[in-house]
Amino acid sequence: MTTNPLPGHADQPAEITCANCGQFVGALTRCPRCGARVEKRMSVRLFRYAALALGTIGLGLLYLMAIHRELPVVRIGDIKPTMNFAYVRVIGTVAGDPRIFKEAGKVRSLRFTVDDGTGEISVTAYRAQAAALVEQRKIPSSGDHVEVAGSLSMTADDDVIMRLQVPEHLTLTRAEVPVTRLGDVNGSLVGTSILVEGIISAVNPPRPESRMPWVVEIRDESGEGAITFWQDAYPDIRDKALLIPGSRVRARISVRTYRERLQLMLNRGEDLEVQAGDSARLFVAGPGAPVPADPTPVVQTPAVQAPVVPTRVVPTRAIPTRVEETRQIAIVTAEMKGQEVTVYGRVVEIRTPEAGTKAPYTLVLEDEGKRIPVVYWDDVATRLGENAPSTGVLMKIRGRVDVYKDTLQIKVSHSDNVRLVDIEPTATPAPVGEGLSEIGKLTVEMKGRVFTVRGTLGEPRSLMKGIIYPLNDGTGQIDLLLWDRLVPGPERDRLEPGQKVKATGLIGEYKGALQIVPSNPQALELE
């Protein structure tokens, strides 16, 4: 069969036509018509394989550069809203102490603030990342130097936060913190993290079912102080059996103010180191014992001149502490006049003196159905500070038994003998408001009234004595203000951004923004 070539076909190079049938094959190496193999010049084949090899090598090099390339360091002051979702690195100093939020004993989130001199940014780690940081003991403290990388995120309030997605992207350098003498702790140190050392003089654990913190009183050659920490920090303390009077402690604490009084706050249990002193070893093991074999102390109660009466011991949550002789209100009698006693009771009545009179303040305490008045004067009342009583709270009172006009009472001569033990009664009901309301319908004219709202929590903002969560229900937004004295830390640790809550509280306003303030933990419900 004879094939007539197309015009110009004969002039085509041999590499693009089939030598067998004359068919145009272009870049193909086999003829699509007859299947014969078409010989190509070596240069064309070489370039084809070279391009494939170079492309593969280029992609590999690009991948290696991407995973080994150092993330750019940005100044916090240069971060703009247009950088949303950018993955960047910042270097700075931790400003303030971190907040760890827990739910059912599990770490749900961790948040701290970084300051590089040009601005501040909040760094947040959630769930697995936060739990890993806690497990690795990579929780920063105020003043520590950090290098952290994460993705930027814009909030509804145009605030920028950084989300830590990989625990290894946090590099922590502990700050060199010198030991501060207790006598040198003053208001100029508020907001800083310091290191203190001393000898334990008393351990005051919270009563069972109480939401109050632990208080460990320490002293050194310059003065005295009290380290405060919440109950969730206690399990992380090493050598808990040595947390007794006479032991030496070393603690990294934050200096805060609470009701205008300085407070030494321990944020994490592992920041407290305890070493047994000589008196503590005797207290634990008894005289002559080479090692403390039994952490349970043998306590010798001081001799009491008064007749022997039944006593009850302050609950110690299975930790050896000093034992105070505490009497039930029911067994305090007129025959004990002049004796010093310590009692616990709920405040059922408060009577304040009229202006211009010399009458005392009177608290009526109730315990197991029995009541007794407690009296004190202005010199005590003006120094109570955070221990100021209110109706329904549990108080610890130390004073002298007295009888005035045939009425049994306890006279208090010093403010240190009045202690607030439990902020709210265990059976405090949630406040009753004016019903459920949409946030968008609340106005400034409703200040001072109690309402109930539902919504979703936003990113919190820390205050000196509390925390604020934006609460949004789709119709509007209101600030959910949680004061430390009303909703303690362990209750707030259950909360995290994105949760739905129902809150009942008093409507307030600050700088044009509406606020709702729950009066107790029962006024806040997770949904």
Side-chain angles (χ1 to χ4, degrees):
M1 172 177 163
T2 304
T3 302
N4 295 322
L6 295 174
H9 191 123
D11 299 330
Q12 298 293 332
E15 290 85 359
I16 62 174
T17 59
C18 177
N20 184 47
C21 65
Q23 175 71 23
F24 175 77
V25 295
L28 299 176
T29 57
R30 284 191 179 276
C31 176
R33 183 176 181 183
C34 66
R37 184 175 181 82
V38 179
E39 294 294 333
K40 298 291 185 182
R41 286 184 299 177
M42 181 58 67
S43 60
V44 175
R45 297 171 60 188
L46 179 63
F47 278 116
R48 177 187 299 173
Y49 293 121
L52 180 61
L54 288 175
T56 303
I57 294 173
L59 286 175
L61 293 175
L62 187 61
Y63 172 76
L64 292 175
M65 184 186 71
I67 63 175
H68 292 291
R69 172 176 165 269
E70 189 172 311
L71 290 171
V73 177
V74 300
R75 299 193 307 173
I76 297 175
D78 294 338
I79 296 176
K80 297 178 175 54
T82 54
M83 300 173 67
N84 196 20
F85 301 116
Y87 205 91
V88 299
R89 183 164 56 106
V90 297
I91 299 175
T93 303
V94 177
D97 289 299
R99 296 184 70 91
I100 300 175
F101 298 91
K102 295 183 179 180
E103 181 180 350
K106 295 183 179 180
V107 177
R108 295 303 183 187
S109 63
L110 163 70
R111 185 173 65 254
F112 59 92
T113 302
V114 178
D115 186 346
D116 69 347
T118 67
E120 295 184 351
I121 189 170
S122 178
V123 180
T124 304
Y126 294 102
R127 300 186 183 277
Q129 292 78 18
L133 291 177
V134 172
E135 185 178 351
Q136 297 170 15
R137 298 178 184 256
K138 290 179 65 175
I139 308 301
S141 298
S142 178
D144 289 346
H145 184 79
V146 295
E147 182 177 327
V148 57
S151 59
L152 301 178
S153 177
M154 293 292 300
T155 67
D157 298 328
D158 291 333
D159 293 329
V160 181
I161 64 173
M162 174 181 284
R163 181 171 180 178
L164 180 65
Q165 298 180 342
V166 182
E168 289 72 20
H169 285 183
L170 171 64
T171 303
L172 176 63
T173 303
R174 296 291 183 186
E176 292 290 337
V177 181
V179 176
T180 302
R181 300 193 314 164
L182 294 174
D184 295 335
V185 178
N186 53 49
S188 64
L189 297 176
V190 172
T192 64
S193 179
I194 63 174
L195 188 65
V196 295
E197 292 181 342
I199 304 296
I200 297 177
S201 55
V203 178
N204 302 305
R207 292 172 65 88
E209 307 302 328
S210 168
R211 293 182 296 273
M212 293 297 289
W214 287 72
V215 178
V216 178
E217 300 176 19
I218 64 173
R219 55 181 169 78
D220 63 9
E221 69 281 357
S222 66
E224 299 179 345
I227 299 175
T228 303
F229 57 90
W230 294 109
Q231 298 183 38
D232 59 352
Y234 175 73
D236 297 329
I237 297 177
R238 298 184 291 272
D239 299 323
K240 288 185 276 291
L242 298 177
L243 198 63
I244 56 176
S247 294
R248 175 173 292 276
V249 296
R250 179 185 179 95
R252 176 84 176 266
I253 53 94
S254 301
V255 182
R256 301 181 183 177
T257 58
Y258 181 69
R259 293 186 179 180
E260 300 181 356
R261 295 180 62 181
L262 288 178
Q263 186 181 60
L264 307 182
M265 193 70 187
L266 179 74
N267 298 294
R268 300 186 303 275
E270 57 263 26
D271 288 340
L272 179 67
E273 300 177 10
V274 188
Q275 296 179 347
D278 294 338
S279 60
R281 292 191 183 96
L282 292 177
F283 193 73
V284 173
V291 293
D294 185 359
T296 303
V298 179
V299 182
Q300 297 181 351
T301 305
V304 181
Q305 297 179 355
V308 178
V309 292
T311 62
R312 74 177 175 190
V313 177
V314 178
T316 60
R317 284 185 171 268
I319 176 173
T321 64
R322 69 177 182 184
V323 178
E324 289 190 51
E325 189 172 35
T326 306
R327 304 184 186 275
Q328 296 176 337
I329 291 177
I331 63 174
V332 177
T333 63
E335 288 74 18
M336 299 170 62
K337 182 178 178 179
Q339 296 182 23
E340 194 169 76
V341 298
T342 299
V343 297
Y344 282 88
R346 295 276 179 192
V347 179
V348 295
E349 185 181 353
I350 301 177
R351 297 195 293 267
T352 57
E354 296 182 3
T357 68
K358 295 184 179 180
Y361 292 78
T362 302
L363 304 180
V364 180
L365 297 187
E366 182 180 66
D367 179 38
E368 298 180 358
K370 301 297 182 180
R371 298 186 178 187
I372 192 170
V374 176
V375 297
Y376 53 85
W377 280 262
D378 281 336
D379 59 335
V380 174
T382 55
R383 292 182 173 88
L384 289 179
E386 63 181 1
N387 292 303
S390 58
T391 304
V393 301
L394 181 65
M395 303 292 294
K396 173 186 176 183
I397 303 293
R398 184 171 180 81
R400 292 193 178 276
V401 179
D402 191 23
V403 179
Y404 178 73
K405 292 183 179 181
D406 297 328
T407 301
L408 188 65
Q409 62 182 18
I410 296 177
K411 294 176 64 175
V412 178
S413 59
H414 197 282
S415 60
D416 288 344
N417 293 335
V418 179
R419 289 290 184 91
L420 181 65
V421 177
D422 194 353
I423 297 176
E424 295 288 344
T426 55
T428 298
V432 178
E434 301 185 28
L436 187 65
S437 172
E438 293 181 348
I439 296 176
K441 294 182 179 179
L442 299 177
T443 63
V444 178
E445 289 72 23
M446 297 177 179
K447 285 172 54 178
R449 295 161 62 183
V450 178
F451 284 91
T452 300
V453 295
R454 279 192 175 98
T456 303
L457 297 176
E459 288 290 337
R461 308 191 303 273
S462 296
L463 302 176
M464 181 63 72
K465 300 179 182 180
I467 192 171
I468 291 178
Y469 278 92
L471 189 64
N472 194 309
D473 68 348
T475 68
Q477 181 171 297
I478 192 171
D479 285 341
L480 176 62
L481 176 56
L482 306 177
W483 291 115
D484 292 342
R485 60 186 176 85
L486 300 177
V487 183
E491 301 293 335
R492 298 196 306 267
D493 288 347
R494 300 182 302 147
L495 306 178
E496 63 181 28
Q499 283 184 327
K500 294 185 180 296
V501 301
K502 182 172 74 171
T504 300
L506 199 68
I507 301 300
E509 181 263 342
Y510 181 71
K511 292 186 178 181
L514 284 179
Q515 298 177 331
I516 183 168
V517 187
S519 61
N520 56 50
Q522 288 75 24
L524 198 61
E525 299 179 17
L526 296 180
E527 295 189 333

